[in-house]
Amino acid sequence: MDARRRTVAITVGLRIHVCAVGRLRGTPEAALVNDYLGRFARVGRSIGLTLGDVHEVEDRLRSSPTQQAALLRKSIPAKAILWAMDERGQTLSSSDFAKTLAHERDQGTANVAIAIGGADGLDPAFRAEAHLALSFGPMVWPHMLARAMLSEQLYRAATILAGGPYHRA
Protein backbone atom coordinates (compact mmCIF):
# COMPACT_ATOMS: atom_id res chain seq x y z
CA MET A 1 0.00 0.00 0.00
CA ASP A 2 1.48 3.35 -0.98
CA ALA A 3 1.79 6.24 1.50
CA ARG A 4 -1.17 8.14 0.01
CA ARG A 5 -3.51 5.19 0.38
CA ARG A 6 -2.24 4.55 3.92
CA THR A 7 -2.97 8.13 4.90
CA VAL A 8 -6.48 7.89 3.49
CA ALA A 9 -7.07 4.61 5.34
CA ILE A 10 -6.45 6.20 8.74
CA THR A 11 -8.01 9.63 8.41
CA VAL A 12 -10.81 8.91 10.89
CA GLY A 13 -8.42 7.84 13.62
CA LEU A 14 -8.56 6.59 17.15
CA ARG A 15 -9.05 8.87 20.12
CA ILE A 16 -7.31 7.79 23.32
CA HIS A 17 -8.89 8.92 26.60
CA VAL A 18 -7.13 8.54 29.93
CA CYS A 19 -9.51 8.06 32.86
CA ALA A 20 -7.73 8.01 36.19
CA VAL A 21 -8.42 8.19 39.90
CA GLY A 22 -6.69 11.10 41.60
CA ARG A 23 -5.63 14.56 40.55
CA LEU A 24 -2.01 15.28 39.71
CA ARG A 25 -2.11 19.07 40.34
CA GLY A 26 1.40 20.40 39.91
CA THR A 27 3.21 17.23 40.97
CA PRO A 28 6.38 15.96 39.28
CA GLU A 29 4.20 13.22 37.75
CA ALA A 30 1.96 15.90 36.24
CA ALA A 31 4.93 17.42 34.44
CA LEU A 32 5.85 14.01 32.98
CA VAL A 33 2.27 13.25 31.96
CA ASN A 34 1.82 16.64 30.29
CA ASP A 35 5.14 16.35 28.47
CA TYR A 36 4.53 12.85 27.11
CA LEU A 37 0.87 13.42 26.24
CA GLY A 38 1.87 16.59 24.37
CA ARG A 39 4.47 14.63 22.42
CA PHE A 40 1.91 11.88 21.76
CA ALA A 41 -0.58 14.42 20.43
CA ARG A 42 1.99 15.86 18.00
CA VAL A 43 3.28 12.54 16.66
CA GLY A 44 -0.02 10.68 16.78
CA ARG A 45 -1.97 13.16 14.68
CA SER A 46 -0.15 12.15 11.49
CA ILE A 47 -0.85 8.45 12.01
CA GLY A 48 -4.49 8.61 13.04
CA LEU A 49 -4.05 8.59 16.82
CA THR A 50 -5.38 11.53 18.77
CA LEU A 51 -5.49 12.45 22.41
CA GLY A 52 -9.01 12.60 23.70
CA ASP A 53 -9.84 13.82 27.16
CA VAL A 54 -7.88 13.23 30.32
CA HIS A 55 -10.46 12.60 33.02
CA GLU A 56 -9.33 12.80 36.62
CA VAL A 57 -11.87 11.56 39.13
CA GLU A 58 -11.47 12.59 42.73
CA ASP A 59 -10.18 10.06 45.23
CA ARG A 60 -12.59 11.32 47.86
CA LEU A 61 -11.15 10.57 51.27
CA ARG A 62 -9.91 7.19 50.21
CA SER A 63 -13.12 6.04 48.59
CA SER A 64 -13.42 2.34 47.86
CA PRO A 65 -12.56 0.85 44.48
CA THR A 66 -16.29 0.28 43.93
CA GLN A 67 -17.02 3.98 44.50
CA GLN A 68 -14.11 4.95 42.27
CA ALA A 69 -15.40 2.59 39.54
CA ALA A 70 -18.72 4.43 39.53
CA LEU A 71 -16.89 7.73 38.96
CA LEU A 72 -14.65 6.20 36.29
CA ARG A 73 -17.68 4.79 34.42
CA LYS A 74 -19.12 8.31 34.20
CA SER A 75 -15.88 9.61 32.69
CA ILE A 76 -15.73 7.06 29.86
CA PRO A 77 -17.08 8.36 26.56
CA ALA A 78 -20.16 6.59 25.17
CA LYS A 79 -19.29 3.57 23.01
CA ALA A 80 -15.62 3.71 23.94
CA ILE A 81 -13.72 0.47 24.31
CA LEU A 82 -12.42 0.16 27.86
CA TRP A 83 -8.86 -0.87 28.62
CA ALA A 84 -7.89 -1.27 32.27
CA MET A 85 -4.45 -0.83 33.74
CA ASP A 86 -4.17 -3.58 36.32
CA GLU A 87 -1.33 -5.58 37.86
CA ARG A 88 -3.13 -8.80 36.86
CA GLY A 89 -3.42 -7.69 33.24
CA GLN A 90 -1.53 -8.76 30.17
CA THR A 91 2.04 -7.52 29.77
CA LEU A 92 2.89 -6.28 26.28
CA SER A 93 6.13 -5.14 24.77
CA SER A 94 6.13 -1.55 23.57
CA SER A 95 5.95 -2.80 19.98
CA ASP A 96 2.98 -5.03 20.77
CA PHE A 97 1.23 -2.15 22.54
CA ALA A 98 1.74 -0.05 19.41
CA LYS A 99 0.34 -2.86 17.25
CA THR A 100 -2.69 -3.14 19.54
CA LEU A 101 -3.40 0.59 19.18
CA ALA A 102 -2.94 0.36 15.40
CA HIS A 103 -5.28 -2.64 15.24
CA GLU A 104 -8.06 -0.73 17.04
CA ARG A 105 -7.48 2.28 14.79
CA ASP A 106 -7.50 0.15 11.64
CA GLN A 107 -10.67 -1.67 12.73
CA GLY A 108 -12.45 1.68 12.90
CA THR A 109 -12.65 1.94 16.68
CA ALA A 110 -13.38 5.57 17.45
CA ASN A 111 -12.50 5.75 21.15
CA VAL A 112 -10.44 3.78 23.64
CA ALA A 113 -10.65 4.78 27.29
CA ILE A 114 -7.73 3.60 29.41
CA ALA A 115 -8.62 3.45 33.11
CA ILE A 116 -6.18 3.67 35.99
CA GLY A 117 -7.52 2.97 39.46
CA GLY A 118 -6.57 4.48 42.76
CA ALA A 119 -4.12 3.27 45.38
CA ASP A 120 -6.15 0.09 45.96
CA GLY A 121 -6.49 -0.71 42.27
CA LEU A 122 -9.60 -1.20 40.19
CA ASP A 123 -12.84 -2.73 41.34
CA PRO A 124 -12.95 -6.38 40.12
CA ALA A 125 -16.37 -5.90 38.46
CA PHE A 126 -15.12 -2.81 36.64
CA ARG A 127 -11.96 -4.62 35.56
CA ALA A 128 -14.12 -7.47 34.20
CA GLU A 129 -15.91 -4.96 31.93
CA ALA A 130 -12.63 -4.11 30.20
CA HIS A 131 -11.99 -5.21 26.64
CA LEU A 132 -8.31 -5.49 27.59
CA ALA A 133 -6.44 -5.45 30.91
CA LEU A 134 -2.84 -4.27 30.70
CA SER A 135 -0.04 -4.49 33.23
CA PHE A 136 3.34 -2.82 33.54
CA GLY A 137 4.61 -6.10 34.99
CA PRO A 138 4.28 -8.00 38.23
CA MET A 139 5.57 -5.13 40.37
CA VAL A 140 2.99 -2.80 41.86
CA TRP A 141 3.41 0.85 40.81
CA PRO A 142 1.94 3.95 42.47
CA HIS A 143 -1.16 4.94 40.50
CA MET A 144 0.19 8.44 39.85
CA LEU A 145 3.42 7.01 38.44
CA ALA A 146 1.43 4.50 36.37
CA ARG A 147 -0.22 7.44 34.62
CA ALA A 148 3.19 8.87 33.72
CA MET A 149 4.32 5.46 32.47
CA LEU A 150 1.17 5.06 30.37
CA SER A 151 1.70 8.52 28.86
CA GLU A 152 5.26 7.64 27.91
CA GLN A 153 4.13 4.34 26.36
CA LEU A 154 1.48 6.14 24.30
CA TYR A 155 4.17 8.46 22.96
CA ARG A 156 6.52 5.54 22.34
CA ALA A 157 3.75 3.64 20.50
CA ALA A 158 3.09 6.63 18.27
CA THR A 159 6.78 6.96 17.41
CA ILE A 160 6.99 3.23 16.65
CA LEU A 161 4.01 3.47 14.31
CA ALA A 162 5.38 6.65 12.70
CA GLY A 163 8.81 5.06 12.18
CA GLY A 164 10.51 7.61 14.41
CA PRO A 165 13.86 7.19 16.13
CA TYR A 166 12.65 7.38 19.76
CA HIS A 167 12.14 3.62 20.19
CA ARG A 168 15.38 1.71 19.78
CA ALA A 169 14.57 -1.78 21.08
Side-chain angles (χ1 to χ4, degrees):
M1 176 181 329
D2 70 17
R4 195 183 96 230
R5 293 179 91 202
R6 181 172 168 229
T7 302
V8 171
I10 60 173
T11 55
V12 174
L14 173 66
R15 289 177 61 91
I16 309 295
H17 304 268
V18 177
C19 305
V21 173
R23 300 196 189 279
L24 293 180
R25 288 191 204 117
T27 63
E29 295 89 351
L32 284 171
V33 168
N34 291 337
D35 180 44
Y36 282 119
L37 289 181
R39 292 182 194 194
F40 169 74
R42 286 188 298 279
V43 174
R45 187 178 13 230
S46 67
I47 56 168
L49 298 175
T50 59
L51 180 61
D53 296 319
V54 176
H55 301 275
E56 294 181 314
V57 301
E58 193 65 53
D59 185 10
R60 299 178 188 162
L61 299 174
R62 291 286 189 209
S63 54
S64 73
T66 303
Q67 294 166 319
Q68 293 169 0
L71 295 172
L72 285 169
R73 277 187 194 95
K74 290 178 185 176
S75 72
I76 297 169
K79 300 182 182 178
I81 290 177
L82 173 62
W83 291 0
M85 297 303 305
D86 185 80
E87 66 188 66
R88 291 165 291 273
Q90 180 179 357
T91 56
L92 297 176
S93 68
S94 295
S95 295
D96 287 339
F97 181 63
K99 289 175 189 172
T100 303
L101 285 170
H103 174 77
E104 291 294 350
R105 177 200 63 201
D106 297 346
Q107 293 301 308
T109 301
N111 293 285
V112 168
I114 305 174
I116 300 173
D120 295 321
L122 291 169
D123 175 65
F126 180 80
R127 188 176 57 244
E129 296 169 19
H131 179 74
L132 177 65
L134 295 168
S135 171
F136 286 127
M139 291 182 174
V140 176
W141 296 96
H143 65 285
M144 296 299 192
L145 188 53
R147 196 177 330 175
M149 294 165 64
L150 173 63
S151 301
E152 191 279 337
Q153 285 299 299
L154 287 168
Y155 170 60
R156 183 176 297 273
T159 62
I160 289 169
L161 295 171
Y166 181 72
H167 180 71
R168 292 185 178 94

